[in-house]
Amino acid sequence: MSATVPKPAASTYAIEVQDLRVDLPRRNLNVVKDVSFRLRPGEILGLIGESGSGKTTVASALLGYVRKGGEITGGSVVIDGVDVLSLDERKQRTYRGGVISYVPQDPGGSLNPVMRIGAQLDETLAYHGVGKKDERAARIGEILDEVKLPGDADFLHRCPHELSGGQQQRIAIAMAFLCRPRVVVLDEPTTGLDVTTQAYVLQMVRTLCREHKTAGVYASHDLAVVADIADEIAVMYFGRLVEFGPARAIMSGAGHPYSRGLVRVIPDPSRRRPLEAIRGRVPSLDERGEGCVFADRCDFVEARCRAAEIEPVQVGADHVVRCLRVEAVRGTSARAPVEEVTAEAGGATATGYLNVRELVASYDGHDVLHGIDLAVPKGLVTALVGESGSGKTTLARCIAGLHEEARGDIEVAGERLKFGSHRRTVDQRKAIQYIFQNATEALNPRRTVGHAIAQPLRVLENGKGERSLDERVVALLDEVSLNPYLAGRYPSQLSGGERQRVTIARALATGPSVLICDEITSALDVSVQAAILMLLKRLRAESDLTLLFVTHNLAVVRAIADRVAVLNEGRIVEEGPVEQVLDSPRDPYTRQLLHDTPALVNS
Amino acid sequence: MIPVRLAYAALSLLVVSILVFVATQALPGDAAVAKLGKNATPEALESFRNLYHLNESMPAQYIHWLGNILQGELGNSLATGGSVSTLISQHVVNSLVLLLFTGIISIPIAIAIGIFTAIRRGRASDHVTSITLLVVTALPEFVLGVALIVLLATSIFHLFPAVSPLDPSRSVFSQLELTVLPTLTLVLLVLPYIARTVRACMVEALDSEYVSMARLKGMPERRVVLRHALPNIAGPTFQVIAQSLAFLAGGIVVVEAVFQYPGIGEAFVSAVQSRDLPVIQALALLLAAFYVIVNLFADVGTVAMTPTLRKGAR
C-alpha cells in the first residue's frame, strides 16, 4: 500500500482514486494498473469497457473487495479524507454498504433467495448504525417511495423470486442508497432489462445521485447506455484507463482509438450507418505484450507504440488519453457516415415468403398472441420488436415449431406448416432454423464445437451428403469467420461472440431459407454485437436468406433490418419498412420504444 | 402441497406392504412343518394352517393380514406363539436408542465440519479433514466396528465392553455404557457423508452472488456464513440427513450383529432363521415406514426452507 497523507474531510471530491492496482499474486499476473480518477458529489462516471477490460474488478476494488485469488496491491481510494484501502478489514466493512455501496449486475442472483426483501433492507441499515427499528422502517419506506416501489408490509414480506426483474433491480438500487452513501458503484445494473425498464432505471439512478449528492460510478460495456446520465467517462481496456474526460468531449471527440471504436460500434436508432466492429478480441491476461495494451487491435499503431508503457496525454480540460497518436486519431471523423438507403424494403405492404395469418397462441389457456397477421418477404431482414412479454418470442417460436398451443395459419413458400416441428417434414424442418439468445445454454458443454455444428446434419440428413461431415463443418466455420481449428474446442473455451457464431453456423448447416434470430445479440457486448450483425448482413446478401430478427432494441433494428413489426401485448401495432416506421412512427407505443432506446447525444 | 405428499407416503407404504407380503410368501419351506416338526400328523398340520389362515388364497390372506395390521394387531409369532408386538417392542426401543444417539451426535458435528471445511477451502485443514472423511467413508460397517473394538475395547484401550448384549430385564438407559461402541460405529458411518454434502453445498453458497453482495453491504463474515449462506443449504442438508437416517436403518443390522446388540437387526436375523413370518413382516414394514416417514419429514422441511417451493408454486 502506498502511504497516503490524510486529507481534510471537507474535500471537494466525493471520491479520489489514485494509481489503483489489482494483481493475481498466485499466477503472478497483473489485472488492473494505474487507475486514477476523481468525482464530485452528485456526478456520475461512466466506466466503459468490453468484457475482460477490468471494469468490474475496478468497480468492486473501490469497495476494497476483489474476487478470490485477486489482491489489491497498490493505490488509494480516498472518501471523506480517508483512504478506504488502508483500513483494516473491520473498518473497511463499516465503509462498505454505508459510505460506498454497490449495485450488482444481476439482482436476481444477488438478492438472497431465502431472505425477505424487508429483512435484507433492514440488516443493511442495522449494520451501518441506524439503531432504532422504527427509524429504520421509516427510512426504508422513504427510499422505496423514491424508487417507486410499494413500502407496505405485504411487499416487504416477499422473497426476491416474487418480484419482476425490474423490481429486483430497484430493490438493489434502494439498498445501495439506503444508508445515504457518498459513492454508489453500479456494475452493469441494466444488462438483461429491456429498453423501457432500462431507461426507467437509468433515470432513477440519475435522480437519486443528484438529490442525495451521491457520486455514481456506472460500469457498462455500452457507451450509449451511459450517454444520457454520465458527466465523466472513463474508458478501460485490458486493465488500463486508456481515456478519461468529460462525457460530451469523449462522445464527440474521443482521443483513444479504442474509445473511437466503442463509439462507432453503437447502432444509431435515428439514422442508418454502416456497421463497424473493432477487429480482434480482448487478449487473455497472460498475453500482455510490451507497450500500448491496444496495439494489436489498433489501426494507428506505429513501432514506438510497442516500445514502452504509454503515459497519459492531456488533450483538454480534465481530458487525458493514453495514446501516442492522439492527434492523428482525433483527426478522423468520430462516427461512421450516414448511409443512403437504397434497398427495396418491400413497400408499404409486402408479399410474404413466410406468411402468418390469424395466429392465436396461448400458454395454459391464457392467450398471449391475439390474431397475428404478418408477411415476411423473401431475402430481407424483418425485425420483431417489443418489450419483454409482448409476445415477440412466442411468435418466433410458433413459426419455428417450438410452440404448439396455437391456432391459425403459418406458411412458407406457399406450403402450410403444422404447429410443432415434430409434425413437419424433414425438408420443412431444414428450411427453418432458430438461433437462441443464450449461446452458452444453447450449446452442449460436453460436446465439441464441430460435433454441435454437425448435429443437425446427422439428424436431418443421416450424415449423407456429397462431402464428409468434417469438410462441411470446416466450411461452415469459415462461413461465420471462425478459424477451423475451433472445431475441436469445447464451448467453454470460446468467447461469448465466438459461441454465438457457432450457433449461427449450426443453424446454417441444413441450408435453411428462413433464419429466426431470437435476441441473439442482447447478451453480448456492443462491440461484439456489431461484428455479429455484420456477419448476418453478409450471410443474407450472399445466400438470399430470409431473416426474422427478434429484438427489443430499435437501434439494432435500424442497423440491420429492412422491415419491422412492432408488437405490444400480443398484437402487431405497427408494421412496415424500417425507415418509414422509425422516421415517422404512428403508434404511441413505437414512439415510446424509440424514446427509450439508448443513443449517443449529438448523434 | 403437504396433503399430496402425505398421500404419496401412504401409497408408498401400501405398495411396500404388498411387496413384503408377496416376498415372505415366496420364502422356501413350510411354516407349519417348521413349527410342528417333520413328524407332525397331517391333521395337526392342517389345523395349524387353518388357525393361521395359511390355506386361503394369496389375496384373501393379504387382505386379512393388512386389516389386522391396520387395527394394530401384528399377529402372533409362529415360533413362540407370543404376540409379535410384545416380542419386538424391546428390540425396536433398543435400536431407536442407537439411532437417536447417532443422530444427536453426528448431525451437529457433521454440519459444523462441513461449514468449517467450506470456509477453509483449499487450506491444509480442509485437505486433511476431507481425506480423513473419505477414508472413513470407504470402510464397510463391520470393519469400522471391529476396528473400534480393537482400539477401544480389547487390544489398545479397555474403555468399553467389546460386545453389547443388553440385559433384557433392565431398561437400556441403565446400561448406556453398552451403547457407546455401536453408536460410535454408526456415527462414523454417516458423519462423513453428511459433512461432505454440507461442505459441497456450502462451497457453492459461498461462491454465490448473494454472498458477494452481503459482503459488499459490509456484513461481518460470521453473519454472511450463518445468516446468508446457511439457510440456503437447508434443503439439501435435510435431504442428506434423511438419506443417512434411512441408510442407518439398514446399516444397523450389521452393526448390531458385530456387537451382538439386541435390536431389530438381531430380531430380524433370528426371525428369518426360524421362518417366523409375522415377525419378518412386521419388522420389514416397520423399516419401510421408517424410510417413508423420514423422507416425508425431509421433503416438508425442504419445502418449508425454500421460498421458491412454498405457497404451492411450481
Short mmCIF file of all heavy atoms in Angstrom, two decimals, chain A residues 495-527:
data_model
loop_
_atom_site.label_atom_id
_atom_site.label_comp_id
_atom_site.label_asym_id
_atom_site.label_seq_id
_atom_site.Cartn_x
_atom_site.Cartn_y
_atom_site.Cartn_z
N SER A 495 -15.09 -17.41 -26.53
CA SER A 495 -15.68 -16.17 -26.00
C SER A 495 -17.16 -16.16 -26.35
O SER A 495 -17.65 -16.95 -27.15
CB SER A 495 -14.99 -14.97 -26.62
OG SER A 495 -15.37 -14.84 -27.97
N GLY A 496 -17.90 -15.22 -25.72
CA GLY A 496 -19.34 -15.12 -25.96
C GLY A 496 -19.68 -14.93 -27.43
O GLY A 496 -20.59 -15.56 -27.96
N GLY A 497 -18.93 -14.06 -28.10
CA GLY A 497 -19.18 -13.79 -29.51
C GLY A 497 -18.89 -15.01 -30.38
O GLY A 497 -19.63 -15.32 -31.31
N GLU A 498 -17.81 -15.72 -30.03
CA GLU A 498 -17.47 -16.92 -30.80
C GLU A 498 -18.53 -18.00 -30.64
O GLU A 498 -18.90 -18.69 -31.59
CB GLU A 498 -16.11 -17.46 -30.35
CG GLU A 498 -14.95 -16.61 -30.84
CD GLU A 498 -13.62 -16.99 -30.23
OE1 GLU A 498 -13.60 -17.60 -29.13
OE2 GLU A 498 -12.60 -16.66 -30.82
N ARG A 499 -19.04 -18.13 -29.40
CA ARG A 499 -20.09 -19.12 -29.17
C ARG A 499 -21.33 -18.81 -30.01
O ARG A 499 -21.94 -19.71 -30.57
CB ARG A 499 -20.46 -19.14 -27.68
CG ARG A 499 -19.54 -19.99 -26.84
CD ARG A 499 -20.17 -20.30 -25.50
NE ARG A 499 -20.13 -19.15 -24.61
CZ ARG A 499 -19.17 -18.94 -23.71
NH1 ARG A 499 -18.20 -19.82 -23.58
NH2 ARG A 499 -19.18 -17.88 -22.95
N GLN A 500 -21.68 -17.51 -30.08
CA GLN A 500 -22.86 -17.16 -30.86
C GLN A 500 -22.61 -17.45 -32.34
O GLN A 500 -23.51 -17.88 -33.06
CB GLN A 500 -23.26 -15.71 -30.62
CG GLN A 500 -24.69 -15.35 -30.99
CD GLN A 500 -25.73 -16.19 -30.27
OE1 GLN A 500 -25.95 -17.35 -30.60
NE2 GLN A 500 -26.38 -15.61 -29.27
N ARG A 501 -21.39 -17.26 -32.81
CA ARG A 501 -21.06 -17.62 -34.20
C ARG A 501 -21.23 -19.11 -34.44
O ARG A 501 -21.67 -19.55 -35.52
CB ARG A 501 -19.63 -17.21 -34.54
CG ARG A 501 -19.47 -15.75 -34.85
CD ARG A 501 -18.00 -15.36 -34.94
NE ARG A 501 -17.86 -13.91 -34.88
CZ ARG A 501 -17.83 -13.13 -35.96
NH1 ARG A 501 -17.89 -13.66 -37.16
NH2 ARG A 501 -17.74 -11.83 -35.83
N VAL A 502 -20.88 -19.92 -33.43
CA VAL A 502 -21.04 -21.37 -33.57
C VAL A 502 -22.52 -21.72 -33.74
O VAL A 502 -22.88 -22.53 -34.60
CB VAL A 502 -20.45 -22.10 -32.34
CG1 VAL A 502 -20.79 -23.60 -32.39
CG2 VAL A 502 -18.94 -21.92 -32.30
N THR A 503 -23.39 -21.09 -32.94
CA THR A 503 -24.81 -21.42 -33.07
C THR A 503 -25.35 -20.96 -34.43
O THR A 503 -26.24 -21.58 -35.00
CB THR A 503 -25.67 -20.80 -31.94
OG1 THR A 503 -25.61 -19.38 -32.05
CG2 THR A 503 -25.18 -21.23 -30.58
N ILE A 504 -24.78 -19.89 -34.96
CA ILE A 504 -25.19 -19.45 -36.30
C ILE A 504 -24.74 -20.48 -37.34
O ILE A 504 -25.51 -20.86 -38.22
CB ILE A 504 -24.61 -18.05 -36.62
CG1 ILE A 504 -25.23 -17.00 -35.68
CG2 ILE A 504 -24.88 -17.67 -38.07
CD1 ILE A 504 -24.60 -15.62 -35.77
N ALA A 505 -23.50 -20.95 -37.19
CA ALA A 505 -23.00 -21.96 -38.12
C ALA A 505 -23.87 -23.21 -38.07
O ALA A 505 -24.20 -23.82 -39.08
CB ALA A 505 -21.55 -22.32 -37.78
N ARG A 506 -24.28 -23.59 -36.86
CA ARG A 506 -25.13 -24.78 -36.70
C ARG A 506 -26.48 -24.57 -37.41
O ARG A 506 -27.01 -25.48 -38.03
CB ARG A 506 -25.36 -25.05 -35.21
CG ARG A 506 -26.23 -26.25 -34.95
CD ARG A 506 -26.29 -26.63 -33.50
NE ARG A 506 -26.89 -25.58 -32.68
CZ ARG A 506 -27.03 -25.65 -31.37
NH1 ARG A 506 -26.59 -26.72 -30.73
NH2 ARG A 506 -27.58 -24.66 -30.69
N ALA A 507 -27.01 -23.33 -37.28
CA ALA A 507 -28.29 -23.05 -37.93
C ALA A 507 -28.15 -23.07 -39.45
O ALA A 507 -29.08 -23.44 -40.17
CB ALA A 507 -28.82 -21.70 -37.46
N LEU A 508 -26.97 -22.70 -39.94
CA LEU A 508 -26.76 -22.66 -41.40
C LEU A 508 -26.52 -24.04 -41.98
O LEU A 508 -26.59 -24.23 -43.20
CB LEU A 508 -25.57 -21.76 -41.74
CG LEU A 508 -25.74 -20.27 -41.44
CD1 LEU A 508 -24.42 -19.55 -41.68
CD2 LEU A 508 -26.84 -19.68 -42.30
N ALA A 509 -26.23 -25.03 -41.12
CA ALA A 509 -25.77 -26.33 -41.60
C ALA A 509 -26.76 -26.98 -42.57
O ALA A 509 -26.36 -27.59 -43.55
CB ALA A 509 -25.52 -27.26 -40.40
N THR A 510 -28.04 -26.85 -42.31
CA THR A 510 -29.02 -27.55 -43.16
C THR A 510 -29.42 -26.73 -44.38
O THR A 510 -30.33 -27.11 -45.10
CB THR A 510 -30.30 -27.85 -42.36
OG1 THR A 510 -30.86 -26.61 -41.91
CG2 THR A 510 -30.00 -28.72 -41.16
N GLY A 511 -28.75 -25.61 -44.61
CA GLY A 511 -29.09 -24.75 -45.74
C GLY A 511 -30.49 -24.20 -45.67
O GLY A 511 -31.31 -24.39 -46.59
N PRO A 512 -30.84 -23.52 -44.57
CA PRO A 512 -32.21 -23.05 -44.40
C PRO A 512 -32.53 -21.88 -45.33
O PRO A 512 -31.63 -21.21 -45.83
CB PRO A 512 -32.22 -22.57 -42.94
CG PRO A 512 -30.82 -22.13 -42.69
CD PRO A 512 -29.96 -23.07 -43.48
N SER A 513 -33.84 -21.65 -45.56
CA SER A 513 -34.22 -20.45 -46.30
C SER A 513 -34.70 -19.38 -45.33
O SER A 513 -34.71 -18.20 -45.67
CB SER A 513 -35.32 -20.79 -47.32
OG SER A 513 -36.44 -21.32 -46.65
N VAL A 514 -35.13 -19.79 -44.12
CA VAL A 514 -35.56 -18.82 -43.10
C VAL A 514 -34.72 -19.02 -41.85
O VAL A 514 -34.57 -20.13 -41.36
CB VAL A 514 -37.06 -19.02 -42.75
CG1 VAL A 514 -37.47 -18.05 -41.63
CG2 VAL A 514 -37.94 -18.82 -43.97
N LEU A 515 -34.15 -17.92 -41.35
CA LEU A 515 -33.35 -17.97 -40.14
C LEU A 515 -34.03 -17.08 -39.10
O LEU A 515 -34.28 -15.91 -39.35
CB LEU A 515 -31.95 -17.44 -40.45
CG LEU A 515 -30.77 -17.90 -39.61
CD1 LEU A 515 -30.70 -19.41 -39.58
CD2 LEU A 515 -29.48 -17.33 -40.18
N ILE A 516 -34.37 -17.68 -37.93
CA ILE A 516 -35.01 -16.89 -36.88
C ILE A 516 -33.97 -16.60 -35.80
O ILE A 516 -33.39 -17.52 -35.23
CB ILE A 516 -36.20 -17.66 -36.28
CG1 ILE A 516 -37.21 -17.98 -37.38
CG2 ILE A 516 -36.85 -16.85 -35.16
CD1 ILE A 516 -38.36 -18.84 -36.92
N CYS A 517 -33.71 -15.32 -35.55
CA CYS A 517 -32.70 -14.92 -34.57
C CYS A 517 -33.41 -14.31 -33.38
O CYS A 517 -33.99 -13.23 -33.48
CB CYS A 517 -31.74 -13.89 -35.17
SG CYS A 517 -31.00 -14.43 -36.71
N ASP A 518 -33.38 -15.01 -32.23
CA ASP A 518 -34.13 -14.55 -31.06
C ASP A 518 -33.20 -13.80 -30.11
O ASP A 518 -32.49 -14.41 -29.32
CB ASP A 518 -34.77 -15.77 -30.37
CG ASP A 518 -35.64 -15.36 -29.20
OD1 ASP A 518 -35.82 -14.15 -28.99
OD2 ASP A 518 -36.13 -16.25 -28.48
N GLU A 519 -33.20 -12.48 -30.18
CA GLU A 519 -32.39 -11.64 -29.28
C GLU A 519 -30.93 -12.09 -29.25
O GLU A 519 -30.31 -12.12 -28.20
CB GLU A 519 -32.95 -11.72 -27.85
CG GLU A 519 -34.35 -11.23 -27.68
CD GLU A 519 -34.42 -9.78 -27.22
OE1 GLU A 519 -33.41 -9.06 -27.38
OE2 GLU A 519 -35.47 -9.37 -26.75
N ILE A 520 -30.38 -12.47 -30.41
CA ILE A 520 -29.09 -13.14 -30.37
C ILE A 520 -27.93 -12.23 -30.00
O ILE A 520 -26.84 -12.70 -29.74
CB ILE A 520 -28.78 -13.87 -31.70
CG1 ILE A 520 -28.62 -12.87 -32.83
CG2 ILE A 520 -29.83 -14.90 -32.02
CD1 ILE A 520 -28.02 -13.52 -34.06
N THR A 521 -28.15 -10.92 -29.94
CA THR A 521 -27.02 -10.04 -29.56
C THR A 521 -27.24 -9.37 -28.21
O THR A 521 -26.37 -8.63 -27.75
CB THR A 521 -26.78 -8.94 -30.62
OG1 THR A 521 -27.96 -8.13 -30.70
CG2 THR A 521 -26.47 -9.52 -31.97
N SER A 522 -28.37 -9.61 -27.57
CA SER A 522 -28.68 -8.80 -26.38
C SER A 522 -27.80 -9.16 -25.18
O SER A 522 -27.68 -8.38 -24.26
CB SER A 522 -30.16 -8.91 -26.02
OG SER A 522 -30.48 -10.23 -25.69
N ALA A 523 -27.20 -10.36 -25.18
CA ALA A 523 -26.33 -10.71 -24.06
C ALA A 523 -24.86 -10.39 -24.38
O ALA A 523 -23.98 -10.68 -23.58
CB ALA A 523 -26.50 -12.18 -23.72
N LEU A 524 -24.61 -9.81 -25.53
CA LEU A 524 -23.22 -9.58 -25.94
C LEU A 524 -22.82 -8.12 -25.76
O LEU A 524 -23.66 -7.23 -25.73
CB LEU A 524 -23.05 -9.95 -27.43
CG LEU A 524 -23.44 -11.38 -27.82
CD1 LEU A 524 -23.39 -11.54 -29.34
CD2 LEU A 524 -22.51 -12.37 -27.15
N ASP A 525 -21.52 -7.89 -25.63
CA ASP A 525 -21.01 -6.52 -25.63
C ASP A 525 -21.39 -5.84 -26.94
O ASP A 525 -21.47 -6.49 -27.98
CB ASP A 525 -19.47 -6.52 -25.53
CG ASP A 525 -19.01 -6.84 -24.13
OD1 ASP A 525 -19.86 -6.99 -23.24
OD2 ASP A 525 -17.80 -6.93 -23.93
N VAL A 526 -21.57 -4.50 -26.90
CA VAL A 526 -21.93 -3.81 -28.16
C VAL A 526 -20.91 -4.03 -29.25
O VAL A 526 -21.25 -4.12 -30.42
CB VAL A 526 -22.11 -2.28 -28.01
CG1 VAL A 526 -23.54 -1.95 -27.77
CG2 VAL A 526 -21.19 -1.70 -26.98
N SER A 527 -19.63 -4.09 -28.86
CA SER A 527 -18.59 -4.25 -29.88
C SER A 527 -18.74 -5.61 -30.57
O SER A 527 -18.57 -5.72 -31.78
CB SER A 527 -17.21 -4.15 -29.23
OG SER A 527 -17.14 -5.01 -28.11
#
